[in-house]
Amino acid sequence: MKKLMLIIGLVLFLSLTGLAHANLLGDGLVSYWKGNTTDMMGSNTATLDGNATADSGTGKYSSTGIDCDGDGDYFNTFNITAVVGNQQDFSVSGWSKADTKNGDFDGLFANGDADNDNGFRTMYASESGLGWGMRSFGGGVAQTFTAGTMNTGTYYNSLVTYNASSGSLKYYIDGSLVITHTKTPSGFINFVDNLKFCSFNGGGVTSRDFDGRFSDMAVWNKTLDAGNLTALQTNGFDTFTFPPGP
């Protein structure tokens, strides 16, 4: 009996922990797309551009994932500064799994355009072993790379957070901070184009787009903190209860 009670207690603890993590992720959540165009929060339906498709059984946590061929395919959502607001905190996350690497730059997601007018982009650079990278515009252009490996066939979480008070724009891979840029809020406004996953720069250089799958993509109107990062890496949105409708 004692052993049984211990087992029951452990199950309850794990369940409550999962719920707590999910509740952390729900705070400030604007949109969440499992692996198709439906926004589970109900208001921001995405589109599949080019040859992008929603395939079954390919997501990180979900049963579907967005399949992109690396040449002009995007998961097209919305302009962050139009939906969340200018000079506001935000966070963007997505899980990606590469089918192939193009040997140059593989764009992950971007809210910006080919002219580097404003916004940011994230990428992986196979070229010269540069690794994970982020480029940001507005109030000056910043581009930084950090050593790291992106293996094909493996899911990685990319997360960008912005804190408007400090101007800190941070890029995380699997919960670990890899790059920080400082962007003055007054200059880091009016992003060009929409937030696009599988995209290098919104369509300007399609040969640098991502060839692989994206799933469990989300946008928050806050800067995710340490507790949120742990929740995101532990079980994603597995135990989160979404609003009725979608």
Side-chain angles (χ1 to χ4, degrees):
M1 178 61 73
K2 186 175 181 180
K3 185 176 181 180
L4 177 60
M5 293 302 293
L6 286 173
I7 293 173
I8 293 174
L10 178 61
V11 171
L12 286 173
F13 171 77
L14 292 175
S15 298
L16 291 173
T17 300
L19 288 171
H21 284 166
N23 289 335
L24 281 173
L25 293 178
D27 180 28
L29 183 64
V30 175
S31 291
Y32 170 64
W33 304 272
K34 278 188 171 183
N36 54 45
T37 58
T38 301
D39 177 9
M40 298 300 292
M41 297 302 288
S43 59
N44 296 301
T45 301
T47 60
L48 297 170
D49 293 358
N51 297 317
T53 59
D55 293 342
S56 62
T58 59
K60 169 64 177 179
Y61 291 110
S62 60
S63 59
T64 56
I66 305 303
D67 189 6
C68 301
D69 67 9
D71 190 6
D73 292 358
Y74 317 118
F75 186 76
N76 193 344
T77 64
F78 53 71
N79 188 313
I80 292 174
T81 51
V83 173
V84 176
N86 273 319
Q87 300 185 38
Q88 301 296 318
D89 297 348
F90 68 81
S91 299
V92 180
S93 171
W95 292 84
S96 61
K97 180 174 70 171
D99 290 337
T100 62
K101 292 183 284 188
N102 59 32
D104 183 16
F105 295 94
D106 297 279
L108 297 170
F109 55 79
N111 198 155
D113 71 351
D115 295 326
N116 300 342
D117 290 325
N118 216 335
F120 68 93
R121 71 178 66 133
T122 61
M123 68 201 87
Y124 180 81
S126 301
E127 182 182 48
S128 303
L130 291 174
W132 305 100
M134 180 170 68
R135 185 176 177 88
S136 58
F137 328 108
V141 177
Q143 179 166 282
T144 308
F145 292 92
T146 186
T149 301
M150 181 180 75
N151 295 314
T152 57
T154 300
Y155 267 109
Y156 296 89
N157 177 249
S158 291
L159 169 69
V160 169
T161 68
Y162 181 62
N163 185 299
S165 296
S166 64
S168 183
L169 182 71
K170 296 183 177 182
Y171 184 28
Y172 297 82
I173 296 296
D174 289 341
S176 296
L177 178 63
V178 294
I179 295 170
T180 300
H181 289 171
T182 300
K183 310 302 294 184
T184 303
S186 60
F188 197 53
I189 60 175
N190 299 324
F191 293 176
V192 178
D193 205 2
N194 286 344
L195 170 65
K196 296 179 180 178
F197 293 84
C198 298
S199 171
F200 177 71
N201 61 355
V205 186
T206 59
S207 63
R208 291 178 172 177
D209 292 334
F210 184 73
D211 180 6
R213 291 164 171 77
F214 256 96
S215 77
D216 303 280
M217 298 151 287
V219 177
W220 292 262
N221 60 7
K222 70 170 190 175
T223 306
L224 295 193
D225 58 21
N228 302 137
L229 294 178
T230 300
L232 189 62
Q233 301 304 316
T234 301
N235 58 359
F237 291 88
D238 272 359
T239 57
F240 183 72
T241 301
F242 291 94

